[in-house]
Amino acid sequence: MLKSQQTNFKKKLKQYEYELVLFLYLILRFLAKRNFEPADFFTAYPLWGTNAVLNMVLGLVVLIAVCLSLAFFLGKVIRTNGEENEKPVLILVALFLACPSALLFLFKTSGSSGTQLLYPFAFFLLAVFLSEKRYVKWLIPVICALLFVPAKYLSTGFLTIFSKGSGMYIPLLLVWLFLNCVNSNKQPANKKGMINKNKTDKLEKEDFYLFGLSFIIIVGAYTFLYSRKLSGGLSGFSQEIDSKLLVCLLVSLPALITVLSVLIPAAKTEFPRTILPLPILMLPFFNGRYYTEWIPFTVILFFLLAFYLILHKNSKILSAVNATYEFFLRHKLLLVFALISTSMLSNVNSITTNPIGSFFFSIPY
């Protein structure tokens, strides 16, 4: 009996090994970036009043929930196309996680409290999961309203925290909703003819209406925000186009080059050609916060496109992912260098580092 239970446990462990490793990685990376003192992450800009214990407990619950849900999401991305595609997709996921700008809420930044990015990111993840559900996905416009409500009367409260980080995650959510209503990226689950097709068309129309409603709510919130001159809640401090921006771009390049090498060949489908220039078009909307918002937005957006297409079994994206995997098999040193360089070059400061080294190792991720 005991042996049978152990066997079942090992099977379960094997079944969720990716999720377990991803979850542990996210938690350990968070702790390492906080120098194993995470308290200030939740208490520097308290969400729930001045009670430090309450902010710590609720913050840790949200952090663990975010890491778990992200681990299961990425685990699904890795597994969804069978064992033959697991390793190629795994490399893409590894580069996404290694890039210091990919998950901004996990890293110490010089201008934002962790909670200002963690909680909006948590709602972004929730909306992504809801978008797969037939009826509850209509809660997404409510999430959009919450994230963008200008906190005029709550200067230190719930909505202020949301408005600080929503500038990056709301555009990403709109892109995700837009992808859900594009026909060319979905493949029928089976070949039962017109019945299945009609059902699919109906769902896609619902997705389009959902996207339209969310878009109207966001535009309305933006208009109200700027008409009341409350935009400071979103923009915060500004950052110049300087050498540090160049360093941030260089650090992000291994991940960006890899995901673009996958997306560009897959751009023969309809939507990627219209979405790929979006980061450049979004540049003016980040109010000068180039390396703590615009670069992370760009990195997350491109990987989001790739993960979405992988989840929907797009043949062109899978072909491009496998071609990238074959390249890294031939040039293993490049993959190792890309993983190490992107994962190490962020907030690594030392009294023994010379001024040049301190500059390159103190990017705001």
Side-chain angles (χ1 to χ4, degrees):
M1 184 70 178
L2 182 61
K3 189 175 182 179
S4 175
Q5 289 177 338
Q6 289 177 340
T7 303
N8 290 335
F9 176 75
K10 287 180 180 179
K11 286 182 179 178
K12 284 287 184 182
L13 199 62
K14 179 70 175 175
Q15 184 181 352
Y16 293 106
E17 61 180 346
Y18 288 131
E19 287 82 355
L20 179 62
V21 171
L22 288 167
F23 174 72
L24 290 175
Y25 168 83
L26 292 169
I27 292 294
L28 289 173
R29 180 136 192 192
F30 167 76
L31 291 173
K33 288 299 174 183
R34 306 308 303 177
N35 297 319
F36 292 90
E37 294 180 1
D40 60 327
F41 183 84
F42 304 108
T43 57
Y45 292 87
L47 183 64
W48 312 102
T50 57
N51 189 324
V53 175
L54 181 63
N55 279 283
M56 278 286 294
V57 171
L58 292 179
L60 284 171
V61 168
V62 173
L63 178 70
I64 291 170
V66 163
C67 291
L68 271 175
S69 56
L70 191 60
F72 274 89
F73 173 77
L74 293 175
K76 183 180 178 182
V77 170
I78 294 169
R79 285 197 179 87
T80 196
N81 289 285
E83 290 185 10
E84 68 277 10
N85 290 296
E86 283 186 8
K87 287 185 178 179
V89 176
L90 183 60
I91 285 181
L92 201 63
V93 170
L95 280 164
F96 170 70
L97 291 174
C99 185
S101 63
L103 294 169
L104 190 59
F105 73 96
L106 286 177
F107 309 125
K108 183 178 180 181
T109 63
S110 56
S112 299
S113 161
T115 51
Q116 293 171 354
L117 297 161
L118 172 65
Y119 290 98
F121 185 80
F123 267 69
F124 166 71
L125 272 183
L126 176 62
V128 167
F129 279 102
L130 289 182
S131 67
E132 301 291 324
K133 309 300 179 183
R134 178 72 186 275
Y135 298 108
V136 293
K137 65 184 177 183
W138 290 96
L139 291 173
I140 294 177
V142 178
I143 293 174
C144 293
L146 275 176
L147 284 166
F148 253 128
V149 169
K152 183 178 180 181
Y153 304 107
L154 297 170
S155 58
T156 60
F158 191 68
L159 297 175
T160 301
I161 300 296
F162 273 28
S163 68
K164 292 283 186 181
S166 60
M168 182 168 68
Y169 298 123
I170 278 290
L172 289 170
L173 180 55
L174 278 178
V175 170
W176 183 267
L177 294 178
F178 176 73
L179 298 181
N180 280 336
C181 57
V182 177
N183 295 332
S184 61
N185 306 305
K186 294 187 175 181
Q187 294 184 357
N190 52 57
K191 297 181 179 179
K192 292 184 179 179
M194 293 301 294
I195 297 176
N196 186 64
K197 183 177 184 302
N198 290 336
K199 184 179 180 182
T200 303
D201 288 343
K202 184 177 180 181
L203 286 174
E204 286 165 352
K205 287 180 181 178
E206 289 180 4
D207 289 332
F208 177 77
Y209 297 144
L210 179 65
F211 166 76
L213 180 59
S214 301
F215 183 80
I216 290 170
I217 288 174
I218 290 167
V219 169
Y222 247 134
T223 304
F224 181 78
L225 185 76
Y226 283 94
S227 67
R228 297 297 180 91
K229 298 181 180 179
L230 297 172
S231 58
L234 291 173
S235 60
F237 74 102
S238 61
Q239 296 160 347
E240 302 296 329
I241 298 178
D242 54 14
S243 54
K244 185 163 282 189
L245 174 62
L246 177 61
V247 173
C248 293
L249 282 170
L250 287 173
V251 170
S252 302
L253 271 183
L256 282 172
I257 289 173
T258 304
V259 74
L260 285 174
S261 72
V262 166
L263 284 175
I264 290 173
K268 295 176 182 178
T269 55
E270 290 180 13
F271 90 87
R273 285 178 289 188
T274 63
I275 296 292
L276 288 178
L278 189 60
I280 297 174
L281 297 176
M282 290 296 296
L283 181 59
F285 291 95
F286 287 105
N287 297 307
R289 298 188 68 174
Y290 300 119
Y291 31 91
T292 58
E293 280 193 358
W294 178 67
I295 293 178
F297 169 83
T298 303
V299 172
I300 296 174
L301 171 65
F302 285 151
F303 276 96
L304 199 66
L305 293 175
F307 294 155
Y308 181 89
L309 289 168
I310 290 167
L311 284 172
H312 285 275
K313 306 180 187 296
N314 184 285
S315 58
K316 289 187 174 65
I317 198 82
L318 289 174
S319 175
V321 168
N322 279 279
T324 303
Y325 173 66
E326 293 295 330
F327 172 82
F328 279 124
L329 280 182
R330 294 193 302 271
H331 308 281
K332 293 184 177 69
L333 189 60
L334 282 178
L335 176 61
V336 173
F337 173 77
L339 289 170
I340 291 176
S341 65
T342 55
S343 61
M344 291 299 293
L345 285 173
S346 59
N347 278 329
V348 182
N349 294 311
S350 170
I351 57 173
T352 61
T353 308
N354 62 42
I356 295 176
S358 296
F359 174 80
F360 277 89
F361 282 85
S362 62
I363 64 171
Y365 295 141

